[in-house]
Amino acid sequence: QTTSADICLSPAQFDVEPDTLFVTINPNGISSATITLNNPGVCSIDWTGLVDIISKDMYNLLFEYPTVVGGGEAGIETDGEYIYTTKWNGNEFYKYSLNGLLIETFTINGVTNIRDLAWDGTYFYGGAASTTVFIMDFDNQTLISSFIAPTNVRAIAYNDNENVFYANNWDSDIIKFDVSGTMLGSFLAGPVGDSYYGFAYDNITGGTYLWGYAQVGASQNELIQMELPDGQETGVCIDIGATLSGSVTSLAGGLFIETGMPLYSFVIGGLVQNEWLWGIGMTSCPWLFLNPNSGTLTSGMAEYVSLDIESSCLSLGIHEADIFFTSNPDTDTSIVHLILNIINTDPPINLTISNNCVEAELCWEVPPDNYPDSFSVYNNNQLIMTTTNYCYTFEGPENYECYVTAWYNDQQSEQSDIITFEIPWPADSKPVNFIIDSLTNNTVYTSWDEPTGCAEPDGYNVYRDGIKLNDSIILQLSYPDTSTLSSGVYEYYATAVYFFGESDSSNIELLTITNLSEAVTSRIKIFPIPTSEYIYLQSDDMIKNIRIYNNSGQLVFDNKPNSTKYKINVSMIESGIYLIKLDTKEANLIRKIIIE
């Protein structure tokens, strides 16, 4: 018999890019990265990929905070938001923040000398080394009820899968019971575990366990793992005294396990009596998946492999992995190193506005345990500024619609809630007490006082008959009009100039320039003055126009009688001093009148 086979005599070639990947992701996030595989040779190759997660220490120290109280501080538990401790020789409870700051001391009427604590998601449970188990509401600081357990209760843990408790007193049998006090099982303590002060239930780290915090071992702070349901010790023992960086001279106290603390995916924590609140990380988990993880590349072929990432069980910070690629025919193994940074990228919260005249300060906060590098401020969907501050000041009257985003390692968060606000035009922004000081040598001298409002102007403009006289902004409170004016009546006023615009006009002042002789002006009669009903006008010349201005320069009456006699009803005009301007064929005349 004969057979044949294709033989490729060229060396195998296999390229993998890139050699390093950097990925930033939120807690409980999903992301992916792409690796490119190339076969630049003439022979086909088979390839295989393997993910190797470089895990953090299974029991790495996450935090240690000194106790604030001491003198009997022994029991401990957390609800994921706060850490609570008890006093075995008193009735006080202590409420700590998650970063170890004492927030509050409180008592619960009828409860004292509590040792370890357990939490079922709503209420806290604890005993005083007797059979009574107290059910307590720490939010309202009240005793809900109590029940009798089938053992004296010092160490206690809650099993949320079965809604049952485990408890004992020092080295007594560890008893399983429900909230009615019915005994459901038991097992012996030991052989290593003894003198237990705290228990915690664990269904996270790959099995179902009860952890005990015992006053045994070199530092009398030994953490011991027992497998449920029979309570056999697994051989996992951790000397907390050697784990903590601070000096440990006191005994083991209470214990807790929590999966909902913001900084960590899973924590077992306890209390070295009177000395330390501590927490250690208790889990590593699969979080990186290669898809596909094998294949064939023909000559000149490229394939794109996806690295799928899930961060739900990872703590904040840096996590690393190596992805190994091998081929057949064999080439050198290619390694891609992945650096995963898990950071909170929540948007800013609690946006507030405080107004100050023509400015409004926008401020914001970030959720706890978020550490952004900077913030971007937007108005009407337009980027205004990127800043490292937690406040930004808007200037000038306008309606605003703003939101803020946060930046984390070049990754931008979602936008915050939108906040709308208005900076109104400031009141009393125009100049006051505008006057014409004099007319000297064809120069009209004017002056005024500053606005009385909150805003400070950059300068002023002066107008004659609605036309601005100054080329550049006036910095002083006076202005000389050097224009050569002919006979007539002129209206003068000033405005204030701000960075955000120009104010309304000041009061209007009228200037009359006339060369008429006394004989000409005497031919015009205005009577009676004062009056409350009518003003009578009489002129030897035709009266072409009549205008009346109030003391602020506002026009209150305007008519063109084209007659030598005219009667004006002023009963509807408010009492005060007014100026009446008459235009005749021969003269322009202004007189002061009084309306009562």
Side-chain angles (χ1 to χ4, degrees):
Q1 295 182 348
T2 62
T3 188
S4 64
D6 292 330
I7 300 173
C8 185
L9 299 181
S10 297
Q13 298 185 52
F14 184 44
D15 294 337
V16 178
E17 295 179 342
D19 56 8
T20 305
L21 285 169
F22 298 91
V23 177
T24 299
I25 192 172
N26 283 338
N28 300 311
I30 297 174
S31 185
S32 63
T34 300
I35 298 174
T36 303
L37 310 180
N38 282 292
N39 177 8
V42 297
C43 301
S44 295
I45 60 169
D46 297 323
W47 66 268
T48 301
L50 174 66
V51 172
D52 180 24
I53 295 176
I54 306 172
S55 301
K56 292 184 176 181
D57 184 0
M58 181 67 170
Y59 306 115
N60 58 311
L61 179 65
L62 299 178
F63 63 83
E64 58 178 311
Y65 307 123
T67 60
V68 175
V69 184
E73 195 172 2
I76 193 170
E77 187 56 80
T78 181
D79 58 5
E81 295 184 11
Y82 303 98
I83 295 172
Y84 296 91
T85 64
T86 69
K87 198 168 185 178
W88 72 266
N89 58 355
N91 62 350
E92 293 91 351
F93 295 87
Y94 306 104
K95 180 179 181 181
Y96 288 84
S97 68
L98 295 184
N99 57 357
L101 299 177
L102 181 63
I103 297 174
E104 181 184 9
T105 300
F106 63 93
T107 60
I108 294 177
N109 189 31
V111 181
T112 188
N113 299 339
I114 296 298
R115 270 64 171 184
D116 192 23
L117 288 169
W119 186 60
D120 69 356
T122 303
Y123 298 122
F124 289 83
Y125 299 78
S130 69
T131 57
T132 300
V133 176
F134 298 97
I135 306 174
M136 298 163 285
D137 181 348
F138 279 7
D139 288 336
N140 298 302
Q141 299 172 8
T142 57
L143 176 64
I144 301 301
S145 63
S146 63
F147 64 92
I148 301 301
T151 182
N152 289 337
V153 175
R154 181 177 303 272
I156 186 171
Y158 174 72
N159 175 343
D160 55 355
N161 285 345
E162 302 178 54
N163 192 26
V164 297
F165 298 89
Y166 300 91
N168 90 327
N169 186 37
W170 296 126
D171 57 355
S172 68
D173 291 353
I174 299 171
I175 308 298
K176 178 181 179 181
F177 56 91
D178 62 21
V179 73
S180 69
T182 301
M183 181 173 172
L184 303 175
S186 67
F187 51 84
L188 296 174
V192 177
D194 193 357
S195 299
Y196 283 117
Y197 207 100
F199 285 154
Y201 173 74
D202 168 19
N203 62 353
I204 303 296
T205 57
T208 304
Y209 305 104
L210 182 70
W211 291 85
Y213 195 20
Q215 295 178 0
V216 298
S219 67
Q220 299 186 70
N221 281 266
E222 197 78 13
L223 194 58
I224 299 169
Q225 186 186 59
M226 296 163 276
E227 188 169 16
L228 297 175
D230 57 10
Q232 292 294 314
E233 293 179 355
T234 65
V236 175
C237 300
I238 304 170
D239 183 356
I240 296 300
T243 302
L244 301 184
S245 61
S247 175
V248 174
T249 61
S250 189
L251 304 171
L255 194 68
F256 69 83
I257 282 179
E258 177 58 44
T259 61
M261 297 177 76
L263 287 175
Y264 315 107
S265 60
F266 187 83
V267 178
I268 185 166
L271 191 152
V272 179
Q273 293 191 30
N274 309 318
E275 289 184 352
W276 299 103
L277 313 176
W278 56 264
I280 59 176
M282 290 296 296
T283 185
S284 59
C285 63
W287 51 267
L288 183 63
F289 307 91
L290 190 64
N291 185 29
N293 60 7
S294 63
T296 298
L297 292 174
T298 59
S299 174
M301 180 180 176
E303 185 171 359
Y304 302 98
V305 176
S306 176
L307 278 176
D308 299 322
I309 302 164
E310 298 179 3
S311 66
S312 58
C313 64
L314 297 180
S315 60
L316 295 176
I318 299 295
H319 299 262
E320 299 181 70
D322 286 326
I323 302 92
F324 295 88
F325 290 94
T326 59
S327 65
N328 182 27
D330 188 23
T331 64
D332 290 339
T333 299
S334 298
I335 302 175
V336 177
H337 186 61
L338 172 68
I339 300 174
L340 176 68
N341 188 12
I342 300 179
I343 60 174
N344 280 331
T345 58
D346 296 320
I349 59 173
N350 299 333
L351 272 64
T352 59
I353 286 293
S354 56
N355 285 78
N356 179 20
C357 192
V358 293
E359 295 181 346
E361 186 176 51
L362 171 66
C363 294
W364 55 88
E365 301 173 5
V366 293
D369 306 312
N370 283 246
Y371 305 99
D373 302 315
S374 60
F375 303 95
S376 289
V377 182
Y378 293 81
N379 178 37
N380 294 321
N381 291 320
Q382 299 295 316
L383 177 63
I384 302 301
M385 173 66 73
T386 297
T387 176
T388 57
N389 297 322
Y390 283 69
C391 292
Y392 179 78
T393 299
F394 289 90
E395 297 180 329
E398 187 179 333
N399 291 317
Y400 295 89
E401 185 176 279
C402 298
Y403 63 84
V404 184
T405 62
W407 288 92
Y408 304 83
N409 292 345
D410 297 325
Q411 181 174 353
Q412 189 174 24
S413 74
E414 297 293 326
Q415 71 181 47
S416 69
D417 292 337
I418 293 175
I419 185 170
T420 59
F421 58 96
E422 178 188 6
I423 302 178
W425 192 280
D428 302 321
S429 60
K430 61 186 180 180
V432 296
N433 301 326
F434 181 86
I435 61 172
I436 297 174
D437 294 311
S438 64
L439 172 59
T440 305
N441 296 326
N442 290 323
T443 298
V444 180
Y445 293 93
T446 62
S447 64
W448 55 90
D449 291 334
E450 294 179 341
T452 59
C454 61
E456 182 177 348
D458 298 325
Y460 303 91
N461 292 326
V462 172
Y463 291 81
R464 183 186 69 232
D465 294 337
I467 299 174
K468 188 173 72 170
L469 299 177
N470 49 295
D471 294 327
S472 58
I473 191 170
I474 301 169
L475 301 180
Q476 65 276 4
L477 297 174
S478 62
Y479 180 77
D481 178 13
T482 59
S483 306
T484 300
L485 302 177
S486 58
S487 297
V489 179
Y490 301 92
E491 296 178 345
Y492 282 84
Y493 62 84
T495 62
V497 180
Y498 299 88
F499 70 89
F500 49 83
E502 189 175 11
S503 75
D504 292 336
S505 64
S506 67
N507 59 290
I508 296 175
E509 284 290 295
L510 299 177
L511 172 66
T512 300
I513 299 177
T514 178
N515 295 321
L516 299 177
S517 65
E518 183 178 350
V520 173
T521 59
S522 66
R523 297 204 304 265
I524 302 174
K525 295 181 174 57
I526 304 172
F527 61 92
I529 298 176
T531 183
S532 60
E533 294 185 0
Y534 294 96
I535 291 178
Y536 295 91
L537 308 176
Q538 183 176 322
S539 172
D540 292 346
D541 301 313
M542 185 74 70
I543 302 173
K544 297 188 297 182
N545 192 44
I546 303 170
R547 292 181 182 178
I548 299 177
Y549 297 88
N550 65 16
N551 227 12
S552 298
Q554 295 174 318
L555 183 67
V556 298
F557 180 84
D558 188 4
N559 203 352
K560 295 178 173 59
N562 290 321
S563 173
T564 58
K565 295 180 181 180
Y566 195 72
K567 180 175 73 173
I568 304 173
N569 185 353
V570 297
S571 61
M572 302 301 292
I573 300 177
E574 293 182 2
S575 299
I577 299 174
Y578 293 82
L579 295 177
I580 185 169
K581 176 185 177 186
L582 300 180
D583 295 332
T584 71
K585 182 179 179 180
E586 299 295 333
N588 301 109
L589 181 68
I590 290 180
R591 288 284 188 269
K592 183 184 293 184
I593 60 173
I594 299 174
I595 299 176
E596 295 181 332

